[in-house]
Amino acid sequence: MLRRKWLMTTAVGLLICLFWSFLSSLGTGGTLGQVESVLQDKIMQKADADRAPNVNIKLIKIDQASLDNLGQFPWDRGLYAQLISMLAEAGAKAIALDVVLAEPGNDPESDKLMAETMKKYPNVILPVVFNFKARQDEAGELETESISYPAETIGAAPEQLGHINVLQDKDSTVRKLTIGLKDDQGHVVPAFSVKLANYLLDQQHQIVWNEEKKEWYRGEQRIPADSRNQIATEFYTEPREEMSLATGYDSQSFFDVLSGNIPADYYQGDVVLIGPFAAGLQDEYLTPLSTTLKMYGVEIHANMIQSLVAGKFSTKASPVVNYVLIILLTLLSTLLFERFTGRKAFAVYGVLAVVLILAWIELYQLKSLFITFTYPFLALTTVFIWSVVSHYVAERRERSRVTNIFGRFVPRTVVDEMLASGEEVTVGGQRRDISVIFVDIRGFTPMSEKLEPEQVIQVLNEYLDICTKAVFNWNGTLDKFIGDGVMAIFGAPISQPNHPELAVRAALEMKRQSAELEERCLREIGVPVRFGVGVNSGPAVVGNIGSQMLRLDYTAIGDTVNLAARLEANAKPGQILISEETLARVNGKFITQSIGEVKVKGKERPVLVTEVLGEADEHSELNTTNNEAIMNDQLKGRVGT
């Protein structure tokens, strides 16, 4: 049985391992993948002290005030050329225009001016836009349909180009930076932010593509990009956050800088990003720091630049590591939940969950490594739920088994009442007021001599069945079979105020039901089978009596029990003898006849014994009067009929 249980437990544990490992292998898509992403967003959020933006990254906003003063989009490219020249002459380290100029402008002279500016200032970066296929042929790839370069009339050199593609996850949130993309000739076009970050990094930490190794490096540090050349980016500002002492990039209006309200030399030594900062320009996205307010693209690029400059790249553990984690956690929890049940199981579940959470957080804090959290946690939860359910089913099965066994000694109604009351049947016993019945076959020995053993057993079983049914019908407890005798208790384990009456009625039912058996035995074997019954009421010790380790019997002991047995021994065939105590409690409910005082073994004085003849006729006052008179005489020590 134990081996079968462990085999079942092992099989379930392996199935849970395989199930969650398989789901983990499907990738980060779907609901669980989004949950994983949201959890990573939470842990990557920084306190204000950690969010301090790089002071050398500044924004110039194409905001509503600029649109109001300079007109609606698209602007004349001469405006861009004029502002770029001002910033470059003032000593800006790099200038990035986050505005797509894929088509020639309406004014050729303005394009010419822009081209001259690009040629004169090589530290100016313009955007390239990759247009991807709506449906990718292979998972993990980014297949390009077309590429939008700056118009030829602008004359931007390849070194002055960076792509501005910001890819969103399935929940429309930007979490990753695509470091570089390959053009039609297989050349890698770095991201806008990569180009600008290199202006803030020294020569030893430049971000470059290693064609031989097919990997990106920041100096000698390998950047752990995925198959799409993407890495998780850190966010240092919330959407549209104004600069403060703690956080927020320094941002000024395009018009204020162009008009001289903000002097151009304010940007000396800085990387400057110029981009849309108005809702109508449709360049805004959700980020991990906000699920409602969107962040403008130029802000996202600024955060990506700072993330690259900081060089803290979070990575995800390999699938093999995640599979091992799922398997180990599942098997460990399976073993522990098999050992601990109830409240202890809840405590174990809580401890394992906390350990998983702490390991997940610490690995990110110390190693910038993300192990999968959702799938191991769900595997742990699945094992826990299965353990709770399996133990509950096992306990219900065991309870049903015990109930069925106990139901052979106690009526089902009594069993149900015990279960509903929640009372404990204490080991060792307790003092209870009860009634006890002893029943024995008269003439059993002569019958045994005349019948075959199989026939004896058949007759004995019929007799015992009659006794058992009578006891159960009147909510008694079958204590034990003693050879051809029966002992039953009324008033325990469930208290019954009228237990003497129930005991006498059960005895009368035995007498009635045995009539057919008596007649058949007389006809077939010539020996009548009749019962002798003794009933006594009073205090007794009732409970589990026996060996604590080997065997316990639920029974009753005491003088009350002994007297009931002596009454049964003195009963003639077909007689139901009750004690003086029982008679006092059932007075008027039965037709009785005094037997008188009888000397019984174990008693110094004779005891007053009464025979029960039947149930009292409710319509006969005479029977009641006679019974009361008899009762009074008996109580005075006289013998009557």
Side-chain angles (χ1 to χ4, degrees):
M1 185 69 178
L2 184 60
R3 180 184 178 187
R4 180 181 178 184
K5 179 181 179 182
W6 277 106
L7 286 174
M8 175 64 72
T9 301
T10 304
V12 171
L14 291 175
L15 284 175
I16 293 174
C17 286
L18 292 174
F19 177 76
W20 289 111
S21 295
F22 171 73
L23 288 186
S24 176
S25 69
L26 296 180
T28 58
T31 303
L32 293 179
Q34 292 181 14
V35 171
E36 189 84 24
S37 297
V38 170
L39 292 175
Q40 292 180 9
D41 293 345
K42 296 297 183 183
I43 196 176
M44 291 177 70
Q45 290 183 3
K46 303 176 181 298
D48 285 350
D50 299 323
R51 291 196 305 120
N54 191 314
V55 295
N56 294 121
I57 301 174
K58 291 186 171 63
L59 308 180
I60 294 181
K61 305 179 291 185
I62 302 177
D63 55 4
Q64 191 58 49
S66 300
L67 295 173
D68 292 342
N69 285 279
L70 301 175
Q72 297 301 310
F73 253 43
W75 282 347
D76 186 272
R77 290 167 186 179
L79 294 176
Y80 302 133
Q82 182 181 349
L83 182 61
I84 290 171
S85 297
M86 292 171 57
L87 296 171
E89 289 296 330
K93 188 168 289 186
I95 305 155
L97 179 63
D98 187 17
V99 177
V100 179
L101 305 175
E103 300 293 335
N106 296 327
D107 184 359
E109 290 300 320
S110 295
D111 280 9
K112 182 179 180 181
L113 179 60
M114 188 67 184
E116 291 174 355
T117 302
M118 295 297 297
K119 186 176 182 180
K120 184 177 180 181
Y121 306 110
N123 60 340
V124 178
I125 309 298
L126 292 184
V128 174
V129 178
F130 283 72
N131 303 304
F132 302 109
K133 291 182 179 180
R135 186 179 183 85
Q136 299 291 315
D137 296 332
E138 295 183 18
E141 297 293 332
L142 286 175
E143 298 175 292
T144 304
E145 193 171 70
S146 63
I147 304 175
S148 299
Y149 291 97
E152 293 183 0
T153 54
I154 294 177
E159 295 77 17
Q160 294 177 296
L161 302 179
H163 80 79
I164 58 170
N165 289 81
V166 176
L167 302 181
Q168 305 171 68
D169 289 342
K170 289 187 176 181
D171 59 353
S172 301
T173 302
V174 174
R175 296 185 175 89
K176 297 178 181 179
L177 159 65
T178 306
I179 305 178
L181 292 168
K182 288 188 177 182
D183 61 16
D184 298 335
Q185 287 75 40
H187 300 139
V188 175
V189 179
F192 212 52
S193 50
V194 171
K195 284 281 189 180
L196 296 172
N198 280 336
Y199 281 97
L200 295 176
L201 292 170
D202 56 36
Q203 289 298 316
Q204 295 180 346
H205 296 91
Q206 291 289 295
I207 301 172
V208 296
W209 167 254
N210 189 313
E211 184 64 33
E212 182 180 348
K213 296 182 179 180
K214 304 296 182 184
E215 290 181 334
W216 286 91
Y217 282 84
R218 180 182 180 275
E220 296 183 356
Q221 178 189 6
R222 173 184 167 275
I223 298 177
D226 60 18
S227 60
R228 290 186 171 187
N229 281 327
Q230 292 181 316
I231 57 170
T233 188
E234 300 277 352
F235 281 86
Y236 299 85
T237 63
E238 295 181 356
R240 312 176 194 188
E241 188 173 22
E242 296 294 334
M243 184 180 67
S244 65
L245 293 176
T247 185
Y249 289 109
D250 188 348
S251 58
Q252 306 295 335
S253 173
F254 187 103
F255 177 74
D256 286 341
V257 179
L258 183 66
S259 61
N261 293 333
I262 304 294
D265 57 8
Y266 179 75
Y267 299 95
Q268 183 178 3
D270 297 327
V271 167
V272 185
L273 290 91
I274 306 169
F277 217 89
L281 300 181
Q282 299 180 346
D283 186 27
E284 48 189 347
Y285 308 88
L286 293 175
T287 66
L289 298 187
S290 175
T291 58
T292 53
L293 184 63
K294 294 183 177 182
M295 178 179 281
Y296 291 115
V298 69
E299 294 179 280
I300 293 176
H301 291 309
N303 279 278
M304 289 178 172
I305 294 168
Q306 183 166 347
S307 185
L308 291 169
V309 172
K312 183 180 178 181
F313 305 115
S314 60
T315 59
K316 292 186 177 181
S318 67
V320 174
V321 173
N322 293 330
Y323 298 152
V324 170
L325 177 61
I326 293 172
I327 293 171
L328 289 179
L329 188 59
T330 301
L331 295 181
L332 175 62
S333 59
T334 301
L335 293 174
L336 291 176
F337 291 142
E338 192 61 34
R339 180 180 178 87
F340 299 101
T341 59
R343 294 181 179 178
K344 291 182 179 179
F346 279 92
V348 170
Y349 173 75
V351 170
L352 290 177
V354 169
V355 169
L356 176 61
I357 293 172
L358 292 178
W360 179 65
I361 294 174
E362 289 303 315
L363 283 173
Y364 170 73
Q365 296 290 348
L366 300 177
K367 301 292 184 180
S368 296
L369 176 67
F370 277 120
I371 57 173
T372 182
F373 175 81
T374 307
Y375 298 100
F377 179 76
L378 290 176
L380 169 64
T381 304
T382 305
V383 174
F384 175 67
I385 293 173
W386 173 81
S387 173
V388 171
V389 172
S390 64
H391 283 116
Y392 174 78
V393 171
E395 288 177 4
R396 292 293 298 181
R397 189 186 300 116
E398 181 65 15
R399 179 175 178 176
S400 178
R401 186 181 72 84
V402 173
T403 301
N404 289 335
I405 293 174
F406 198 41
R408 298 182 181 182
F409 299 90
V410 182
R412 185 57 191 245
T413 54
V414 175
V415 177
D416 293 340
E417 187 177 349
M418 290 177 62
L419 294 175
S421 67
E423 294 180 3
E424 293 289 341
V425 179
T426 59
V427 175
Q430 52 188 170
R431 190 175 181 84
R432 302 288 289 270
D433 185 66
I434 62 171
S435 291
V436 183
I437 288 183
F438 277 89
V439 189
D440 189 69
I441 294 179
R442 298 296 183 258
F444 182 74
T445 302
M447 179 190 70
S448 301
E449 294 174 352
K450 293 184 178 183
L451 298 179
E452 296 294 329
E454 292 80 7
Q455 293 176 304
V456 174
I457 293 298
Q458 182 179 354
V459 173
L460 183 59
N461 284 340
E462 290 187 44
Y463 147 70
L464 296 176
D465 184 60
I466 289 172
C467 295
T468 302
K469 287 181 178 178
V471 171
F472 282 11
N473 285 343
W474 294 102
N475 293 329
T477 299
L478 183 63
D479 186 291
K480 62 174 69 71
F481 297 126
I482 313 170
D484 61 337
V486 176
M487 175 183 171
I489 304 170
F490 290 80
I494 297 298
S495 297
Q496 298 162 315
N498 62 335
H499 58 80
E501 177 186 349
L502 297 176
V504 175
R505 292 191 184 281
L508 287 172
E509 183 172 335
M510 293 179 195
K511 183 177 180 180
R512 287 193 299 269
Q513 295 298 328
S514 65
E516 181 182 347
L517 177 61
E518 179 183 353
E519 180 183 351
R520 180 157 54 84
C521 290
L522 184 61
R523 184 177 64 251
E524 294 179 359
I525 62 177
V527 178
V529 177
R530 305 181 71 183
F531 299 169
V533 183
V535 182
N536 186 29
S537 303
V541 176
V542 182
N544 294 305
I545 300 170
S547 170
Q548 180 71 30
M549 299 299 296
L550 300 178
R551 176 173 175 173
L552 292 171
D553 283 334
Y554 185 79
T555 188
I557 59 174
D559 187 61
T560 298
V561 179
N562 295 336
L563 181 55
R566 301 293 180 262
L567 293 176
E568 177 269 315
N570 284 273
K572 297 177 181 179
Q575 270 192 328
I576 301 174
L577 301 184
I578 63 175
S579 67
E580 182 180 357
E581 179 67 26
T582 302
L583 177 64
R585 300 191 189 193
V586 299
N587 182 32
K589 297 181 180 179
F590 302 97
I591 302 173
T592 60
Q593 178 177 316
S594 177
I595 301 300
E597 291 183 341
V598 177
K599 178 65 177 177
V600 297
K601 184 179 179 180
K603 290 285 187 179
E604 294 182 1
R605 296 181 180 181
V607 295
L608 194 61
V609 180
T610 302
E611 180 183 357
V612 177
L613 302 176
E615 296 186 16
D617 186 353
E618 295 179 356
H619 302 289
S620 175
E621 296 182 1
L622 179 60
N623 285 334
T624 303
T625 303
N626 289 340
N627 286 333
E628 290 177 353
I630 293 171
M631 178 62 191
N632 291 331
D633 289 342
Q634 291 172 343
L635 293 176
K636 293 176 182 178
R638 298 196 300 269
V639 177
T641 60

